[in-house]
Structures are given as C-alpha cells and as structure tokens.
Amino acid sequence: MNVILWKDTKKNISDIEKKAPCYYAIDFDIPADITKGYITTDKKNFEYETSISEIKKYDENTDKDLLFKKKPASVTVIKIDSIKKIDKKPISDFKLNDNKSEIDSFAVGEEFTVEYKEKSEYKIPEKDEDVIADLKARGYNFPLSVVDKLAKYKKELPPDKYEKLLKRVNLEIEKREVDPYEAVGIIAAQSIGEPGTQMTMRTFHFAGVVEMNVTLGLPRLIEIVDARRIPSTPSMTIYLTKEYKNDGEKVKQLIKNLENTAIIDVADIITDVGDMSLTIKLDAYKSKDRLVNISDVINALDKIKGIIYNQVDNERILIKLQQESFKRLYQLQEQLKVTPIKGVPKIKRAIARYDNSSNEWILYTQGSNLKDVLNIEGVDPTRTYTNDIIEIENVLGIEAARNAIYREAENTLSEQGLDVDKRHLMLVSDMMTFSGAVRAVGRQGISGRKSSVLARAAFEITSKHLLKAGLLGEIDPLSGVAENIIVGQPITLGTGAIDLVYKGQKK
Amino acid sequence: MSKFNVLEHEIVPEHHLVPVEEEYKVLKMLNVTKENLPRISINDPAVKALEEIHGKLEPGRIIKIIRKSPTAGYYEYYRVIVKSVI
C-alpha cells in the first residue's frame, strides 16, 4: 500500500493538530488512492502519522477556510482525519518510488511491513521426555545433550543396566560440576591466556595467506576481548537466497551493486584553473568493469549544491560553479572524488567464492555494513554475518553479540590449532554481555566497573579511584577477593567462603 | 523486499516473554532477585521485535532466552529489561 511522505514545519503540524479533522492544501500532486501519510521535520525521521480520507484538486475560488502548507503554490487539497505523534520511523523503513533514497519535499513510497513471529524451533523431543521423567523421579538433573544420548540407550538396554547407567552418569556429572565459590574466572583466564602465549609466535606465519586479508591470531583475540568499536579488518560473509546462490551472472551483478563506487574509481577529474571549471572524464575500462554509465554520474552530481553541469559528450561532463571562487573550486574537486555513485557505504570490495560443500556462491567483503546489506535483494538475511561485534550488537541485539563473541574467539583459537575448552569462552562472552551492552575486559569495562573501591584501586590508576571514593564517601563491604587480600583476611573463595558460627549451649 | 525480523537470524537465539504471573517462579528457581539478573536494554533490537508481537514492554519484564550450547544442548537464560545499560 502506498503512503505519502512529506516534510513540513513544526508550526504547520501544530496547526493541523489543533484543527484536525481539517482540509490541508499542499504544494504537490499525489495519487488518489492514498489513505495514510507520514510527516518529517528533519528529512530523516518521521514523527507524525496522519490518516487521509479525501484528495482533490485545489481551486482558488471555492476552497477557502483551510490550512495551507505554502499558500501561493497550492496544488492539491487533502482531508486529514487525524494526526498523531509516533515513535520515530527512520526513512529506511520506507521504499520510495523512483528508487529515491532521500526525501526532498515529498515522496510517495511503500511502507515495509514485517510479520513478526517468535522463533520457537526447540521443543523437547518426545523420546527425551520419558528419560526426563525417569531423572526427575530419581532427583537427577542432566543437561539436554546427555538426555538425548540416554534416550537411545533406554530402548537398547535392559532396565537394570539402564538403572546402573543413570547412576554412573550422575556420578560422573557430579564429579565434574563446578562447586559453589570456585574461582571459575581465574581458571578461564589462565586457560585462554596460556595458549595465547603460543599464538604470538605463530601469527607471523599465517599473515597474508588468506585471500581477503583478515586479522588473525593474538591481535584478533585482543580485539575481541577489548570490544573495539571498529575492528582493524571488518569483513562480512554474505549468503544468498535460493534464486541467487547458484546463478553466477546474478552474483556478478550483486557484487557490482554492493561495492561502494565513488567518482574517482571510474573517472578522472581534470581541473582547469583558467576557465574555472572541472571536467569529469569517464574511464571506459574502469566504468565498464564497475557497470557505471554517465547517467549514474549525473545522478550523483544532482545532490551537490551550487554547481552547473553540462554533458559534453558520452564520456565527459563539464562542471562550473555558480559563484566563482578558487577556494570553492578546490573544495569541489576534493568533494567530487569521494562522491558516491552507487553501492553500499563502507563496503570497499567484494569477492565471490563457490563453496563446494554446500554448493552455493558465498560473498566475502572488505568493510562491513550489516544493516544495509540485510535489506538488499538477493541477500539471505538470516545467515549473513559480520565479524564486527559492536555492529552485531546494534543490529541484532545483545544475545546475538554474545554468540558472535563466542564464535569469533572460538574460530580464532581453533584456526591456530589451539584447543581451549568451550566453557571458558562461554564464560568470557557471558561476562562481557552481562550488563546488556558489550563491555571490554579491562579498565574501561568489567574490571573498571567493579563495585569495590579497593579492587578497582588494586587494578589500575590507584590514586584516582581512592581520591574519588574519598570524595564521594564510598563504602567497601570487603566481599571480593582483591579487597580481602589487601586487608589481610581470608578471601571469599572455596573454603574461605564459609563462616563458622558457634551457638553456645545454655547452662 | 521487506524489512527484516531480527529474531529470524540464525545467530539470534529464541527470545520469549515471561508472563508476569510466572516471574516469581523463575526468580525462585534461580534464587535471585530481579536486580541480580543479567540485563537487556529496552532498545535492544530483539526486544523491539518482541514489542511488535506483545505490544509495549515495560522495564522490569523478564525475557527467557533459549540458547543453543555446544556442550549442554539447549538451556534457558534469563534477562531483565532495563531502561539504560552501560
């Protein structure tokens, strides 16, 4: 269903709010089947939703006593039934007609509609339910992966042996369970840290082997636990939908649409100081390679203000300034170089590789822009992945970021042939996302936000923390490890966690 | 072409809203109060997607997450919605 989107002033909007339902004269022509409109004040987010019931031509003589957007230029009159303030809708929520990506004064477009459904793939399989009932009767509590295996043996084994098996499994699980007050964090730190020392040396051998140079080894691991805003080599793995994944031609086309192309990538810019003009000369080979023609360049030039351009011939465009100035001419030349023609911002390069195990084309990119790529036609949004953890957090949420941290750390370690127990990595990723945002391990993150003053002071920048605590009158209940070591008490771990209370008998 | 529901992405685990009546059961099972639970921002994309299904959610609601684990098969994790996260 089409909707109308337009920009308006705050004053007009408040007028409509006061008078609705009312007739409103606008300065553009719209199709007659529209029943819904959105208003923006800043061209980026739409804050008001209106329902429109009547559309007619503006007639100067008969239409009086109505509201005007711009009085002299009125073309159409619409009847606004109601207007209400809504949560900001960004312009990316709409698909504008004529392939426009931004709004000038008005636009007709389609609203994206998504059917939101909860994902619920997992149900306890029927065969497992018997086992779970068995376990409950005996007071055992096993992980589901163990239950799954036991279900198989329940059928095969005679009851007495099955009973024995359950007992034995329970014994083994109890033996391996973490005890209360066990210092799992320290064990995880050591278990990841020790293999890390071996990684340092091996990194050099692996650098540069991969086609698309991606940071590996220890530098990458540090990047992950530091929760850097931008990784040093952001890269995406893009999976394609059914129609695209086996069609080489379509994949080629998609790559060209993905790669961010600026004018300098396909043309030469020649400055003529005597004539105060710039000439864009399209490079035939480069532009063919990137599937760009001269009309694409002209479309890009439309967005630059204060210039007059003329197409000289098939490969040259002459640009002049509206107000002549050498400074502006120089600025314009720099501006033209980076003016994007097409493609997704931040995606520098994309290559396709045919995966023989799953029989499909997979795209790998340099640079990452998950939000925009997910909405491109042909991209399978459910599998597409980036190695930028912060971006995943922003686009897919904190739980996805937690999985991404685990996945990246696991991949980095296993790529080097190191075998770190998965549980340590899970603990790290859980701790990093505990607060609802990805926090680094270190001064800025987990350690820097401990509640105890002494623990923070013992870690880094001692004087700053103590001074601030003194000013604010902070209290330290001495419940952690570092604090108790400082004051010389047993730490609250393992056996030190127990308090003995003696209740004397009355005589 | 349409906008994408983040809950369908393979890296996003299942998110379910815990009904208010059942919250005490969860807290009793874990032996914690709400303040001790891991947090999730009200502006988190997954919470926004849940809002499309259940209507506006208030801070303080509990979300059940069914995670896939390489060691334990599937397990449940709980997060409480908060207004702002650090």
Side-chain angles (χ1 to χ4, degrees):
Chain A
M1 197 182 73
N2 277 337
V3 294
I4 170 95
L5 311 160
W6 80 88
K7 184 186 178 303
D8 219 327
T9 56
K10 285 236 163 77
K11 189 185 159 289
N12 278 344
I13 293 170
S14 69
D15 280 350
I16 298 172
E17 271 181 325
K18 268 179 221 157
K19 289 203 177 170
C22 66
Y23 287 94
Y24 185 59
I26 44 179
D27 55 348
F28 42 78
D29 204 19
I30 56 172
D33 61 337
I34 280 172
T35 56
K36 211 172 175 190
Y38 289 95
I39 313 178
T40 176
T41 50
D42 58 359
K43 294 191 184 183
K44 283 182 199 124
N45 294 308
F46 293 88
E47 288 165 63
Y48 295 90
E49 187 188 309
T50 62
S51 67
I52 297 164
S53 63
E54 209 180 314
I55 297 166
K56 59 183 180 187
K57 281 263 170 301
Y58 174 70
D59 189 337
E60 218 175 308
N61 304 318
T62 55
D63 286 332
K64 274 167 192 149
D65 194 33
L66 38 78
L67 291 166
F68 291 96
K69 182 165 183 278
K70 243 190 237 157
K71 197 163 184 180
S74 298
V75 178
T76 317
V77 177
I78 54 176
K79 187 182 182 190
I80 294 177
D81 280 346
S82 65
I83 182 164
K84 65 172 186 226
K85 198 160 182 174
I86 49 169
D87 288 347
K88 280 183 183 171
K89 266 178 189 278
I91 195 160
S92 55
D93 276 13
F94 301 94
K95 183 186 193 319
L96 305 186
N97 288 2
D98 313 326
N99 283 327
K100 279 199 275 191
S101 60
E102 51 191 77
I103 188 163
D104 202 15
S105 67
F106 83 102
V108 179
E110 231 175 294
E111 196 177 350
F112 287 139
T113 46
V114 195
E115 210 188 314
Y116 280 95
K117 255 195 318 210
E118 270 184 49
K119 182 159 79 171
S120 48
E121 300 164 339
Y122 187 71
K123 255 184 15 206
I124 295 170
E126 266 177 43
K127 60 177 173 115
D128 289 5
E129 270 170 19
D130 299 348
V131 183
I132 289 175
D134 288 348
L135 296 177
K136 250 193 187 154
R138 289 164 182 79
Y140 300 156
N141 189 13
F142 293 173
L144 285 172
S145 56
V146 177
V147 173
D148 227 33
K149 278 179 198 157
L150 284 175
K152 205 177 97 195
Y153 290 114
K154 189 180 161 81
K155 276 185 219 146
E156 292 171 7
L157 293 176
D160 59 322
K161 283 197 174 163
Y162 174 69
E163 194 68 35
K164 240 181 186 172
L165 179 70
L166 287 188
K167 243 182 210 157
R168 189 64 203 272
V169 170
N170 185 47
L171 203 73
E172 291 293 320
I173 286 183
E174 267 182 6
K175 224 194 258 176
R176 280 160 178 76
E177 257 179 2
V178 174
D179 294 314
Y181 280 101
E182 196 167 324
V184 283
I186 288 176
I187 297 168
Q190 288 180 342
S191 309
I192 299 170
E194 197 279 327
T197 59
Q198 299 169 38
M199 264 164 106
T200 330
M201 288 181 285
R202 292 192 202 170
T203 315
F204 297 105
H205 296 281
F206 280 89
V209 173
V210 189
E211 212 175 335
M212 192 71 93
N213 194 20
V214 179
T215 317
L216 292 171
L218 195 68
R220 177 65 189 146
L221 197 65
I222 292 172
E223 218 169 72
I224 295 164
V225 294
D226 267 357
R228 298 260 169 86
R229 291 293 118 182
I230 301 155
S232 56
T233 48
S235 115
M236 293 183 78
T237 312
I238 301 173
Y239 291 88
L240 306 174
T241 52
K242 257 186 221 150
E243 298 88 56
Y244 278 74
K245 68 181 179 187
N246 288 317
D247 191 333
E249 276 307 307
K250 275 184 174 173
V251 172
K252 239 184 219 170
Q253 187 73 34
L254 191 63
I255 288 179
K256 302 296 172 205
N257 288 334
L258 273 173
E259 284 181 318
N260 192 18
T261 308
I263 290 183
I264 193 75
D265 294 330
V266 293
D268 295 321
I269 300 171
I270 305 150
T271 320
D272 185 346
V273 184
D275 196 27
M276 290 289 279
S277 69
L278 287 165
T279 309
I280 293 178
K281 188 170 176 293
L282 218 59
D283 186 309
Y285 177 74
K286 279 185 194 164
S287 59
K288 202 182 162 195
D289 184 43
R290 298 245 184 183
L291 298 177
V292 170
N293 56 31
I294 198 137
S295 58
D296 293 327
V297 181
I298 288 176
N299 280 340
L301 289 177
D302 270 337
K303 283 168 197 155
I304 301 173
K305 280 176 186 150
I307 57 165
I308 307 158
Y309 58 84
N310 263 317
Q311 191 175 341
V312 183
D313 54 32
N314 258 339
E315 53 182 21
R316 275 185 299 175
I317 306 170
L318 187 76
I319 300 169
K320 284 204 164 177
L321 290 165
Q322 274 170 356
Q323 283 174 326
E324 293 197 339
S325 121
F326 283 110
K327 194 180 165 199
R328 180 78 184 101
L329 192 72
Y330 177 71
Q331 282 172 349
L332 183 66
Q333 188 201 347
E334 294 300 311
Q335 191 188 350
L336 281 179
K337 275 187 192 168
V338 292
T339 303
I341 301 173
K342 62 189 228 173
V344 181
K346 290 188 198 166
I347 304 282
K348 290 189 198 96
R349 213 160 65 87
I351 56 165
R353 232 180 275 164
Y354 195 76
D355 190 43
N356 284 323
S357 58
S358 59
N359 288 328
E360 60 178 334
W361 285 98
I362 301 172
L363 305 185
Y364 299 88
T365 69
Q366 214 173 57
S368 166
N369 188 344
L370 189 61
K371 198 178 174 190
D372 290 349
V373 169
L374 287 185
N375 285 328
I376 288 178
E377 204 178 328
V379 172
D380 182 357
T382 61
R383 293 188 292 160
T384 296
Y385 179 73
T386 169
N387 69 358
D388 187 340
I389 288 158
I390 303 297
E391 197 174 15
I392 289 188
E393 185 200 348
N394 293 333
V395 179
L396 298 174
I398 190 71
E399 274 297 315
R402 183 255 173 203
N403 283 342
I405 294 172
Y406 170 76
R407 195 155 141 180
E408 288 293 318
E410 160 86 14
N411 282 347
T412 312
L413 288 166
S414 62
E415 230 160 39
Q416 309 265 306
L418 299 171
D419 192 20
V420 175
D421 197 297
K422 290 159 185 158
R423 279 156 267 230
H424 299 313
L425 298 175
M426 284 197 267
L427 182 74
V428 170
S429 46
D430 274 347
M431 269 319 290
M432 284 175 72
T433 54
F434 181 86
S435 74
V438 176
R439 291 193 309 184
V441 181
R443 184 183 358 170
Q444 303 298 327
I446 297 167
S447 306
R449 291 192 199 276
K450 277 180 187 166
S451 56
S452 160
V453 195
L454 290 174
R456 268 182 284 136
F459 180 61
E460 262 174 8
I461 344 179
T462 313
S463 53
K464 185 188 128 190
H465 286 297
L466 291 179
L467 193 67
K468 203 176 157 201
L471 283 171
L472 298 174
E474 278 182 46
I475 293 166
D476 197 324
L478 299 183
S479 53
V481 177
E483 306 93 287
N484 281 306
I485 293 174
I486 292 172
V487 297
Q489 283 181 16
I491 56 171
T492 48
L493 277 180
T495 47
I498 301 163
D499 280 333
L500 276 183
V501 180
Y502 175 68
K503 240 185 187 172
Q505 272 183 341
K506 277 179 195 165
K507 275 180 185 171
Chain B
M1 193 165 100
S2 72
K3 235 185 133 205
F4 174 60
N5 174 9
V6 294
L7 296 179
E8 276 166 24
H9 200 283
E10 61 162 15
I11 205 173
V12 181
E14 290 176 32
H15 288 62
H16 299 284
L17 191 67
V18 177
V20 182
E21 312 86 64
E22 284 174 26
E23 281 181 3
Y24 81 97
K25 270 190 211 164
V26 172
L27 295 174
K28 203 177 156 196
M29 181 186 80
L30 298 170
N31 194 19
V32 289
T33 57
K34 268 188 190 174
E35 291 80 56
N36 299 351
L37 281 179
R39 282 154 230 164
I40 187 165
S41 164
I42 187 103
N43 296 318
D44 192 274
V47 176
K48 287 272 173 215
L50 280 183
E51 278 189 344
E52 297 285 337
I53 305 164
H54 298 282
K56 191 108 182 95
L57 298 179
E58 294 296 321
R61 293 296 298 270
I62 296 176
I63 288 178
K64 178 163 96 175
I65 293 147
I66 298 179
R67 283 184 179 169
K68 216 174 175 172
S69 157
T71 51
Y74 287 85
Y75 68 102
E76 291 166 4
Y77 195 78
Y78 294 90
R79 281 183 189 271
V80 64
I81 301 181
V82 291
K83 225 175 191 172
S84 70
V85 292
I86 349 164

